[in-house]
Amino acid sequence: MLHQSIPLPRDLPRPQEQILVNITPQETRVAVLEEGIVQELHVERAASRGIVGNIYLGQVKRVLPGMQSAFIEIGLERAAFLHIADVLEQRQHPTEPQRIEKMLFEGQTVLVQVIKDPIGTKGARLSTQISLAGRFLVHLPQEEHIGVSQKIESDAERHSLKARLEKLLPAGSPKGYIIRTSAETARDDELAADIEYLSKLWSDIQQKSQTLPPQSLLYDDLPLAVRVLRDMVSGYTDKVLVDSNENYGRMVEFAEQYVQIAVDKIERYAGERPLFELHGIETEIDKALARRVNLKFGGYLIVDQTEAMTTIDVNTGGFVGNRNFDETIFKTNLEATQVIARQLRLRNLGGIVIVDFIDMDNDEHQAAVLAELAKAMARDRTRVTLNGFTSLGLVEITRKRTRESLAHILCEPCPTCQGRGEIKTAQTVCYEIQREIVREARQYDAKGYRILAAQSVIDMFLDEESQSLAMLVDFIGKPVSLSVEASYTQEQFDVVLL
C-alpha cells in the first residue's frame, strides 16, 4: 500500500457534457460542464496566448555540455531550453547516450517545437521532435512508424487501425503517425482528410524554414475556440454553446472540414444574459482562485500553490456526521477525493501535488480513499500518475504541466506582501524604523530625523510605542518627527535626515 503507483481505471461511464465558449476581442474562455457542474476552465488571452505546439526556426545561443542542454533563441523575451532527452536523435535511440555538444553549436539554426510554455522565471522548453496534432492522428514527420494511443487497449482494434492507416497513406509520404483515441469511430474518408491536412501543414512548415530568417515562427497552434473542437468534443459532448457570431461561423467551418462529429453540436447562444453568468461560471472562477474550498458536509480543503509543488490539506471542519470519529474522518476524506480531482482540473494545477488527507489508521479506509481518488483522476484529459500513501501519510500526484495555472493567468502577486500571504505588523515596522535611525545617527551628524510611514505605523508610534520613541530621541539626542505617507503600504517607510 505504501508509496506504490496506483493504476487509474479506464472506460468508466461518464455523463454528458456541455462546452461553453465565451469570446471577446481580448480573451477566450471555455468551461466544461457535467450535469451542470463546472469541471474544467480554460482561458486564453490575445495578448499572451500559450505557445505550446508552436514551431520555430530556432538559433542556438549557448550549449552547456555539463548539463547536456542548450539555450535556443526563438524570438521571445527569454531564451528557450532544450535538453538532450528532447533531442530527436536521443529519442530515437534512447539506449545509446548522445552528447549534445556533438549535435549543436552556437549560431546553428534548428527546427524546434515548444512542449512547455514559459512558466514563472523559466523559459519555454523545446523539443526537436516535431509533432502535428489533427483530429484523429498526430503526425510525426521525422519518424517512420505508426503508434496507437495507449487508451485503445484491444489488440485487435489496434492492429485494425494500423492496417487501415497504412492503406490510406500516400506512397512516399512520411509514415510517422500516432493514432488518437478518437480514431476508433472514424471513417476512412475522415482519416484520409486528416492525413491530407497534416501533410500539407508539414509541407508549409518545411517551405517556411527554407525562406524565413532564424527565430521565425513557422507554425502557430490553433486558437482555443477551435482547439476545443479538435481536442475536447467527443461522443460524451451534448452541445457546444458559443456566444460570438463571427467565431460561431469559424467553428462551424472548421468542424465541417475536420471534426464532423461536432457540426451538429455547435450552437449559437443569443440570450440576453451573459453566457458564463447564466451558468454560474463567474462564481466558479472566483472560487477556483480562493485558497479555501468548502466541502458539502462541513469539511474543507486548503490549496497552496508554490513554485515547487502544490499542497492540499484536508480538514474535517464542522463535519460531525457520525458519532464514530474514524467514520467521520473516512467520509470527509472520501468526499475530498472528488473535489481534489475537480480542483486540479479547474485550476489547471500541474507538476507535483501533495495531498495531506486526515490521518486514517484503518488500512481498508486508506485503500477505499485511494480507489475513489483514482476513479476521480481517471476523468482528467491530462496525463496523471497517482502514488499510494507515503510513510508520512501523504499522497503524491503528478499531473503533466504544459500551460500556466488559472491563478497565474488571472492573478499577480500582492504588491503589499509580495505573494507571501502575510505582512509585518505595524509594531514590527516601528522597531525596524528605530533600528534604522540608530544606524543613521552613528554614521551622520544630522540635525534631526523625519519618519515617513503608513498611517497604521504612525498611529503605533503615537500610541503603544510612544514611550519607546521618546527613549530613542533621548538616546540619539536629536528630534524625530512623524509624517503619514498615504501611498505607503504598512511595510514601507523612509527615514529622512534633516
Side-chain angles (χ1 to χ4, degrees):
M1 169 76 67
L2 290 179
H3 208 47
Q4 63 184 12
S5 181
I6 308 298
L8 303 184
R10 303 191 180 200
D11 300 324
L12 291 173
R14 284 178 53 188
Q16 289 285 294
E17 65 183 18
Q18 285 187 342
I19 299 176
L20 312 182
V21 185
N22 166 236
I23 301 175
T24 64
Q26 295 78 28
E27 69 177 359
T28 298
R29 301 186 299 172
V30 172
V32 181
L33 281 69
E34 290 180 0
E35 298 177 334
I37 300 173
V38 186
Q39 300 294 329
E40 296 179 45
L41 288 169
H42 302 270
V43 179
E44 181 175 270
R45 292 184 168 166
S48 56
R49 275 188 62 190
I51 60 171
V52 169
N54 286 7
I55 297 172
Y56 295 85
L57 186 62
Q59 188 169 36
V60 180
K61 178 183 180 183
R62 190 178 173 198
V63 179
L64 306 171
M67 293 176 60
Q68 281 302 288
S69 58
F71 287 109
I72 313 289
E73 292 285 2
I74 58 174
L76 301 182
E77 183 180 347
R78 291 190 297 271
F81 182 78
L82 174 67
H83 189 263
I84 185 69
D86 297 313
V87 174
L88 177 64
E89 291 82 358
Q90 181 65 73
R91 286 192 168 193
Q92 289 176 331
H93 306 285
T95 58
E96 302 172 17
Q98 310 281 332
R99 299 294 301 177
I100 200 163
E101 64 269 26
K102 294 183 178 179
M103 302 176 182
L104 302 175
F105 56 86
E106 291 185 15
Q108 178 184 358
T109 56
V110 57
L111 201 64
V112 291
Q113 184 168 33
V114 178
I115 57 176
K116 278 190 180 180
D117 272 331
I119 296 176
T121 58
K122 299 175 183 175
R125 183 156 179 172
L126 305 176
S127 173
T128 62
Q129 182 179 47
I130 306 301
S131 66
L132 303 170
R135 171 63 181 170
F136 305 106
L137 307 169
V138 176
H139 188 23
L140 306 174
Q142 301 144 308
E143 301 283 354
E144 284 295 327
H145 74 276
I146 296 175
V148 184
S149 168
Q150 292 182 351
K151 291 184 178 180
I152 301 176
E153 295 182 322
S154 166
D155 287 338
E157 182 68 17
R158 294 170 71 89
H159 288 305
S160 172
L161 285 169
K162 287 180 71 172
R164 285 174 59 197
L165 184 59
E166 286 171 350
K167 288 181 181 178
L168 293 169
L169 289 174
S173 66
K175 298 293 192 294
Y177 285 90
I178 296 174
I179 300 172
R180 304 180 73 171
T181 311
S182 55
E184 282 186 288
T185 57
R187 303 188 307 271
D188 282 357
D189 61 320
E190 291 175 322
L191 291 175
D194 227 22
I195 293 170
E196 184 180 357
Y197 163 68
L198 293 170
S199 298
K200 185 178 184 304
L201 202 57
W202 175 236
S203 178
D204 290 344
I205 291 167
Q206 285 182 302
Q207 185 177 355
K208 287 179 181 178
S209 70
Q210 301 296 322
T211 56
L212 293 178
Q215 303 185 35
S216 293
L217 173 64
L218 306 181
Y219 167 73
D220 192 4
D221 199 11
L222 297 170
L224 178 58
V226 180
R227 285 205 313 275
V228 163
L229 303 178
R230 184 190 71 188
D231 298 337
M232 296 186 188
V233 174
S234 68
Y236 297 107
T237 306
D238 179 40
K239 57 185 170 183
V240 180
L241 280 175
V242 56
D243 62 3
S244 161
N245 268 328
E246 182 181 352
N247 285 278
Y248 167 76
R250 289 176 182 168
M251 291 170 71
V252 170
E253 184 180 348
F254 181 85
E256 287 175 342
Q257 191 168 2
Y258 299 113
V259 195
Q260 290 292 324
I261 189 177
V263 173
D264 295 332
K265 300 177 187 289
I266 305 173
E267 296 181 15
R268 167 76 175 97
Y269 174 74
E272 291 187 7
R273 288 184 66 187
L275 179 60
F276 269 34
E277 183 184 318
L278 178 66
H279 291 269
I281 311 299
E282 303 292 4
T283 303
E284 287 297 331
I285 291 174
D286 289 340
K287 288 181 181 178
L289 297 175
R291 184 168 176 253
R292 175 170 170 151
V293 182
N294 291 325
L295 302 179
K296 186 176 179 181
F297 297 114
Y300 62 92
L301 310 178
I302 296 295
V303 182
D304 285 314
Q305 184 182 356
T306 69
E307 187 76 18
M309 68 180 72
T310 297
T311 61
I312 301 176
D313 186 31
V314 184
N315 299 278
T316 53
F319 180 43
V320 289
N322 290 279
R323 293 182 180 178
N324 184 323
F325 188 56
D326 287 344
E327 284 297 316
T328 298
I329 289 173
F330 176 50
K331 290 194 174 182
T332 302
N333 283 339
L334 272 183
E335 184 191 358
T337 59
Q338 298 293 328
V339 180
I340 289 168
R342 177 171 171 263
Q343 288 298 320
L344 293 181
R345 296 193 298 269
L346 275 179
R347 299 169 186 242
N348 193 23
L349 296 172
I352 301 169
V353 180
I354 303 296
V355 183
D356 185 8
F357 284 105
I358 307 166
D359 289 341
M360 295 175 289
D361 296 327
N362 189 316
D363 288 345
E364 290 183 3
H365 286 180
Q366 284 194 357
V369 167
L370 281 176
E372 198 64 26
L373 183 59
K375 281 184 189 176
M377 300 297 296
R379 295 161 62 184
D380 205 316
R381 298 179 207 271
T382 304
R383 190 173 73 238
V384 174
T385 59
L386 171 64
N387 291 319
F389 285 92
T390 68
S391 57
L392 296 176
L394 307 173
V395 171
E396 296 179 4
I397 300 169
T398 59
R399 187 172 185 270
K400 186 177 180 182
R401 175 165 54 191
T402 57
R403 300 182 189 274
E404 292 273 23
S405 69
L406 186 69
H408 284 166
I409 293 173
L410 302 183
C411 304
E412 64 182 7
C414 167
T416 301
C417 73
Q418 299 300 319
R420 298 196 314 270
E422 298 174 325
I423 60 172
K424 295 174 183 176
T425 65
Q427 190 172 47
T428 300
V429 178
C430 283
Y431 296 162
E432 286 186 2
I433 292 172
Q434 291 180 72
R435 287 192 293 270
E436 177 67 19
I437 290 174
V438 170
R439 280 195 296 270
E440 296 285 354
R442 288 172 175 169
Q443 288 185 317
Y444 306 103
D445 185 21
K447 294 180 179 179
Y449 300 90
R450 175 176 295 136
I451 297 170
L452 304 178
Q455 181 72 60
S456 57
V457 176
I458 300 301
D459 288 346
M460 179 69 67
F461 271 128
L462 293 173
D463 189 8
E464 296 175 41
E465 295 302 326
S466 57
Q467 187 175 352
S468 67
L469 182 60
M471 292 171 63
L472 173 68
V473 170
D474 184 58
F475 177 73
I476 64 174
K478 303 288 174 65
V480 176
S481 59
L482 304 173
S483 180
V484 173
E485 192 64 47
S487 63
Y488 280 16
T489 66
Q490 188 163 288
E491 292 188 349
Q492 288 179 293
F493 67 84
D494 279 308
V495 174
V496 180
L497 280 63
L498 301 176

